[in-house]
DNA sequence: ACCTGAACACCGTTCAAGT
DNA sequence: ACCTGAACACCGTTCAAGT
């Protein structure tokens, strides 16, 4: 008899586990992703997961790959710096819904095909703009870090929190900054709101703009 | 009788604990910093630490503050963008010996006096250059993230390792990249060495240059 | 092939107690 | 004030066993 008809097919799969883990990371932070919690939520023994993943790190790598799979590699643009911006934005777009899992992407960039493709094109455009290999490499690495830095967590505090706590938290922060001695930190106090509540789109845009502008003005072929 | 003469003075102190924890973080990574390990290395019960720190997070905050205390705030430079570069470099210099602990600095920037001073000056110079408060805030946050990104860990892999393992690891990575299909990733394969072994000074310099150049060219007063 | 069960060596933290 | 001791509710992982 075919196993698909009679026997219960395996309830678990790498995909199902990774999916659930990603949701947990999004909701409760990366440190809430636990083999044991994951197991009970999937109605299974902790050890069941070890059939599908050799270790917890492998599972986390699965999360990173899952994020990279969501990347839509953009059509090439003629102007090289603009193209760089598009590549960064593509990565940001995929990572943004999963800021927690995004932290895991770095070590997977040189393993996952999408990561490789993005890196390849970044390097190609940088060398095309006249950067020597060493400098191009350094800038490419910096680009990745910049993206991660932009996507990862809250600007002022990294502690994980539910959306519910968030407002209170921000207000608390603003109050804290506002209560600083204004004679010592005049600009800081005046900018309290801008520093804590900073609209995500403005923020992300600034990061990309900054990077692209910087690269452009450092380019050897820059007239 | 005075306690300083007869009785054994407390063997522990916040400073001693933080110092040992920092060494542990530098040597074996942040996740090796454990209340229990720390306790045994200090020849004391785990609970002894809870007299000096309310929780482990407070201890980790202590690590971050310890790093910020090493910052030498630079003398102001006339040209604003140059001054920004000096501020970034000062922070990088203090963080560089402790890449693991550096990750903890972000949430302490708006608490520790040195963090506040650096932020204040950054904002002041940005607004002085014509950026409006919102944009200045976004750039200041991005500056901090950039510094952290540059200082934190290995460019290609985040896994913690001893200096001994490091060389093998790099060679392995280069081999891995070199073995990729050269028709699909031509630039990548050609840059294998530059991407993995990238001299730290070049790398850090590139990051700062990039940021400063970007900010400068985005400045409203930019002629 | 896919999962369970029991066990091991770890965690952070609370609570009561010692000096 | 400063530290110990025992206990609790967690971890990741190994190893042997079930179906």
């Amino acid at each position: 008899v075919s196993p698909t008809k009679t026997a219960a097919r395996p309830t678990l799969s790498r995909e199902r586990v990774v999916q659930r883990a990603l949701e947990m990371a999004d909701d409760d932070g990366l440190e809430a992703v636990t083999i044991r919690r994951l197991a009970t939520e999937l109605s299974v023994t902790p050890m069941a997961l070890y059939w599908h993943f050799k270790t917890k790190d492998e599972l986390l790598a699965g999360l990173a790959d899952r994020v990279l799979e969501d990347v839509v590699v953009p059509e090439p643009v003629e102007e090289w710096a603009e193209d760089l911006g598009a590549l960064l934005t593509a990565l940001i777009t995929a990572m943004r819904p999963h800021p927690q899992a995004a932290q895991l992407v770095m070590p997977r960039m040189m393993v996952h095909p999408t990561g490789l493709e993005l890196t390849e094109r970044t390097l190609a455009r940088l060398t095309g703009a006249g950067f020597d290999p060493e400098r191009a490499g350094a800038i490419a690495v910096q680009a990745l870090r910049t993206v991660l830095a932009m996507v990862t967590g809250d600007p002022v505090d990294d502690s994980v929190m539910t959306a519910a706590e968030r407002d209170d938290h921000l207000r608390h922060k603003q109050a804290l900054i506002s209560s600083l001695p204004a004679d010592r930190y005049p600009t800081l106090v005046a900018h309290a709101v801008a520093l804590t509540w900073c609209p995500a789109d403005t923020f992300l845009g600034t990061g990309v703009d900054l990077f692209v502008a910087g690269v452009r003005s450092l380019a050897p072929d820059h007239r």
Side-chain angles (χ1 to χ4, degrees), chain A residues 187-216:
Chain A
T187 328
L188 198 51
V189 172
H191 288 56
V193 177
L195 273 174
T196 49
W197 178 82
C198 113
D201 291 324
T202 303
F203 176 66
L204 294 176
T206 300
V208 176
D209 292 350
L210 209 55
F211 186 84
V212 171
V215 170
R216 192 175 260 137

Tab-separated table of all heavy atoms in Angstrom, chain A residues 187-216:
chain	number	residue	atom	x	y	z
A	187	THR	N	21.278	70.450	21.806
A	187	THR	CA	20.787	69.908	20.546
A	187	THR	C	20.063	68.595	20.783
A	187	THR	O	19.016	68.316	20.201
A	187	THR	CB	21.962	69.669	19.571
A	187	THR	OG1	22.977	70.639	19.807
A	187	THR	CG2	21.492	69.751	18.147
A	188	LEU	N	20.634	67.802	21.654
A	188	LEU	CA	20.060	66.504	21.981
A	188	LEU	C	18.640	66.653	22.503
A	188	LEU	O	17.707	65.994	22.028
A	188	LEU	CB	20.948	65.837	23.044
A	188	LEU	CG	20.834	64.350	23.272
A	188	LEU	CD1	20.951	63.610	21.971
A	188	LEU	CD2	21.913	63.907	24.243
A	189	VAL	N	18.472	67.522	23.468
A	189	VAL	CA	17.148	67.721	24.072
A	189	VAL	C	16.170	68.231	23.022
A	189	VAL	O	15.026	67.795	22.963
A	189	VAL	CB	17.249	68.701	25.261
A	189	VAL	CG1	15.868	69.062	25.767
A	189	VAL	CG2	18.083	68.090	26.381
A	190	ALA	N	16.647	69.129	22.175
A	190	ALA	CA	15.777	69.684	21.145
A	190	ALA	C	15.355	68.617	20.135
A	190	ALA	O	14.290	68.703	19.530
A	190	ALA	CB	16.485	70.831	20.416
A	191	HIS	N	16.165	67.585	19.991
A	191	HIS	CA	15.904	66.560	18.986
A	191	HIS	C	15.295	65.302	19.574
A	191	HIS	O	15.235	64.279	18.894
A	191	HIS	CB	17.194	66.179	18.260
A	191	HIS	CG	17.691	67.209	17.322
A	191	HIS	ND1	17.953	68.493	17.701
A	191	HIS	CD2	17.966	67.157	15.992
A	191	HIS	CE1	18.394	69.191	16.681
A	191	HIS	NE2	18.408	68.405	15.629
A	192	ALA	N	14.875	65.356	20.809
A	192	ALA	CA	14.399	64.157	21.507
A	192	ALA	C	13.433	63.339	20.658
A	192	ALA	O	13.585	62.133	20.509
A	192	ALA	CB	13.743	64.548	22.829
A	193	VAL	N	12.456	64.018	20.097
A	193	VAL	CA	11.440	63.305	19.328
A	193	VAL	C	12.037	62.671	18.072
A	193	VAL	O	11.816	61.493	17.784
A	193	VAL	CB	10.284	64.252	18.954
A	193	VAL	CG1	9.271	63.514	18.082
A	193	VAL	CG2	9.603	64.776	20.213
A	194	ALA	N	12.830	63.430	17.359
A	194	ALA	CA	13.412	62.935	16.109
A	194	ALA	C	14.320	61.729	16.346
A	194	ALA	O	14.463	60.864	15.491
A	194	ALA	CB	14.195	64.049	15.420
A	195	LEU	N	14.913	61.680	17.534
A	195	LEU	CA	15.848	60.603	17.822
A	195	LEU	C	15.153	59.300	18.193
A	195	LEU	O	15.674	58.218	17.940
A	195	LEU	CB	16.775	61.005	18.964
A	195	LEU	CG	18.017	61.772	18.560
A	195	LEU	CD1	18.762	62.234	19.792
A	195	LEU	CD2	18.898	60.914	17.694
A	196	THR	N	14.008	59.409	18.815
A	196	THR	CA	13.321	58.194	19.256
A	196	THR	C	12.292	57.768	18.220
A	196	THR	O	12.418	56.724	17.608
A	196	THR	CB	12.632	58.436	20.608
A	196	THR	OG1	11.877	59.641	20.532
A	196	THR	CG2	13.668	58.551	21.696
A	197	TRP	N	11.278	58.581	18.057
A	197	TRP	CA	10.315	58.276	17.026
A	197	TRP	C	10.848	58.824	15.727
A	197	TRP	O	10.822	60.023	15.491
A	197	TRP	CB	8.957	58.889	17.329
A	197	TRP	CG	7.988	58.602	16.251
A	197	TRP	CD1	7.263	57.466	16.074
A	197	TRP	CD2	7.646	59.458	15.154
A	197	TRP	NE1	6.500	57.551	14.955
A	197	TRP	CE2	6.703	58.752	14.360
A	197	TRP	CE3	8.038	60.729	14.748
A	197	TRP	CZ2	6.158	59.297	13.198
A	197	TRP	CZ3	7.495	61.255	13.588
A	197	TRP	CH2	6.557	60.537	12.826
A	198	CYS	N	11.374	57.938	14.919
A	198	CYS	CA	11.856	58.392	13.627
A	198	CYS	C	11.220	57.501	12.583
A	198	CYS	O	11.401	56.295	12.582
A	198	CYS	CB	13.372	58.397	13.608
A	198	CYS	SG	14.189	57.261	12.553
A	199	PRO	N	10.394	58.092	11.736
A	199	PRO	CA	9.582	57.317	10.801
A	199	PRO	C	10.446	56.378	9.991
A	199	PRO	O	11.452	56.790	9.410
A	199	PRO	CB	8.924	58.381	9.923
A	199	PRO	CG	9.621	59.655	10.201
A	199	PRO	CD	10.293	59.542	11.512
A	200	ALA	N	10.059	55.122	9.961
A	200	ALA	CA	10.901	54.065	9.410
A	200	ALA	C	11.339	54.357	7.976
A	200	ALA	O	12.486	54.134	7.616
A	200	ALA	CB	10.172	52.733	9.482
A	201	ASP	N	10.440	54.868	7.177
A	201	ASP	CA	10.772	55.078	5.774
A	201	ASP	C	11.842	56.150	5.615
A	201	ASP	O	12.799	55.982	4.866
A	201	ASP	CB	9.509	55.471	4.994
A	201	ASP	CG	8.563	54.287	4.897
A	201	ASP	OD1	9.058	53.150	4.768
A	201	ASP	OD2	7.348	54.490	4.962
A	202	THR	N	11.673	57.244	6.342
A	202	THR	CA	12.689	58.291	6.333
A	202	THR	C	14.027	57.701	6.717
A	202	THR	O	15.054	57.926	6.079
A	202	THR	CB	12.346	59.393	7.368
A	202	THR	OG1	11.063	59.917	7.070
A	202	THR	CG2	13.390	60.500	7.322
A	203	PHE	N	14.000	56.910	7.776
A	203	PHE	CA	15.226	56.341	8.309
A	203	PHE	C	15.909	55.438	7.297
A	203	PHE	O	17.089	55.596	6.996
A	203	PHE	CB	14.908	55.576	9.587
A	203	PHE	CG	16.082	54.881	10.156
A	203	PHE	CD1	17.147	55.603	10.659
A	203	PHE	CD2	16.125	53.504	10.187
A	203	PHE	CE1	18.248	54.957	11.179
A	203	PHE	CE2	17.220	52.856	10.709
A	203	PHE	CZ	18.282	53.587	11.207
A	204	LEU	N	15.156	54.500	6.753
A	204	LEU	CA	15.724	53.569	5.789
A	204	LEU	C	16.211	54.317	4.559
A	204	LEU	O	17.298	54.062	4.044
A	204	LEU	CB	14.696	52.512	5.406
A	204	LEU	CG	14.287	51.564	6.532
A	204	LEU	CD1	13.192	50.615	6.071
A	204	LEU	CD2	15.480	50.778	7.016
A	205	GLY	N	15.403	55.260	4.095
A	205	GLY	CA	15.802	56.061	2.951
A	205	GLY	C	17.116	56.771	3.198
A	205	GLY	O	18.034	56.719	2.370
A	206	THR	N	17.230	57.380	4.359
A	206	THR	CA	18.456	58.097	4.702
A	206	THR	C	19.664	57.182	4.636
A	206	THR	O	20.702	57.542	4.087
A	206	THR	CB	18.346	58.683	6.125
A	206	THR	OG1	17.248	59.575	6.166
A	206	THR	CG2	19.616	59.431	6.488
A	207	GLY	N	19.510	55.994	5.180
A	207	GLY	CA	20.627	55.055	5.188
A	207	GLY	C	21.097	54.715	3.794
A	207	GLY	O	22.299	54.755	3.502
A	208	VAL	N	20.165	54.404	2.923
A	208	VAL	CA	20.527	54.048	1.549
A	208	VAL	C	21.122	55.254	0.833
A	208	VAL	O	22.169	55.152	0.187
A	208	VAL	CB	19.298	53.521	0.771
A	208	VAL	CG1	19.672	53.248	-0.669
A	208	VAL	CG2	18.761	52.256	1.427
A	209	ASP	N	20.462	56.384	0.940
A	209	ASP	CA	20.967	57.610	0.299
A	209	ASP	C	22.401	57.891	0.726
A	209	ASP	O	23.268	58.184	-0.095
A	209	ASP	CB	20.096	58.816	0.699
A	209	ASP	CG	18.705	58.730	0.108
A	209	ASP	OD1	18.488	57.844	-0.743
A	209	ASP	OD2	17.843	59.526	0.505
A	210	LEU	N	22.598	57.804	2.022
A	210	LEU	CA	23.896	58.089	2.594
A	210	LEU	C	24.947	57.190	1.984
A	210	LEU	O	26.023	57.640	1.570
A	210	LEU	CB	23.817	57.823	4.100
A	210	LEU	CG	24.698	58.608	5.034
A	210	LEU	CD1	24.477	60.087	4.820
A	210	LEU	CD2	24.363	58.243	6.474
A	211	PHE	N	24.629	55.931	1.927
A	211	PHE	CA	25.593	54.974	1.412
A	211	PHE	C	25.890	55.225	-0.054
A	211	PHE	O	27.052	55.302	-0.467
A	211	PHE	CB	25.081	53.552	1.617
A	211	PHE	CG	26.081	52.513	1.233
A	211	PHE	CD1	27.057	52.106	2.120
A	211	PHE	CD2	26.067	51.954	-0.033
A	211	PHE	CE1	27.998	51.166	1.770
A	211	PHE	CE2	27.006	51.009	-0.400
A	211	PHE	CZ	27.977	50.613	0.497
A	212	VAL	N	24.856	55.370	-0.811
A	212	VAL	CA	25.034	55.572	-2.256
A	212	VAL	C	25.807	56.862	-2.527
A	212	VAL	O	26.747	56.877	-3.338
A	212	VAL	CB	23.665	55.607	-2.970
A	212	VAL	CG1	23.835	56.028	-4.420
A	212	VAL	CG2	23.003	54.243	-2.884
A	213	ALA	N	25.437	57.918	-1.814
A	213	ALA	CA	26.139	59.187	-2.009
A	213	ALA	C	27.616	59.049	-1.651
A	213	ALA	O	28.493	59.579	-2.345
A	213	ALA	CB	25.492	60.273	-1.151
A	214	GLY	N	27.872	58.326	-0.575
A	214	GLY	CA	29.251	58.127	-0.153
A	214	GLY	C	30.057	57.369	-1.181
A	214	GLY	O	31.153	57.793	-1.574
A	215	VAL	N	29.514	56.270	-1.624
A	215	VAL	CA	30.220	55.459	-2.625
A	215	VAL	C	30.479	56.268	-3.885
A	215	VAL	O	31.571	56.251	-4.446
A	215	VAL	CB	29.403	54.201	-2.965
A	215	VAL	CG1	29.996	53.496	-4.156
A	215	VAL	CG2	29.361	53.260	-1.787
A	216	ARG	N	29.457	56.985	-4.289
A	216	ARG	CA	29.576	57.760	-5.525
A	216	ARG	C	30.711	58.759	-5.426
A	216	ARG	O	31.519	58.892	-6.351
A	216	ARG	CB	28.255	58.480	-5.795
A	216	ARG	CG	28.150	59.078	-7.165
A	216	ARG	CD	26.779	59.673	-7.409
A	216	ARG	NE	25.903	58.809	-8.189
A	216	ARG	CZ	24.633	58.598	-7.930
A	216	ARG	NH1	24.065	59.171	-6.890
A	216	ARG	NH2	23.902	57.814	-8.695
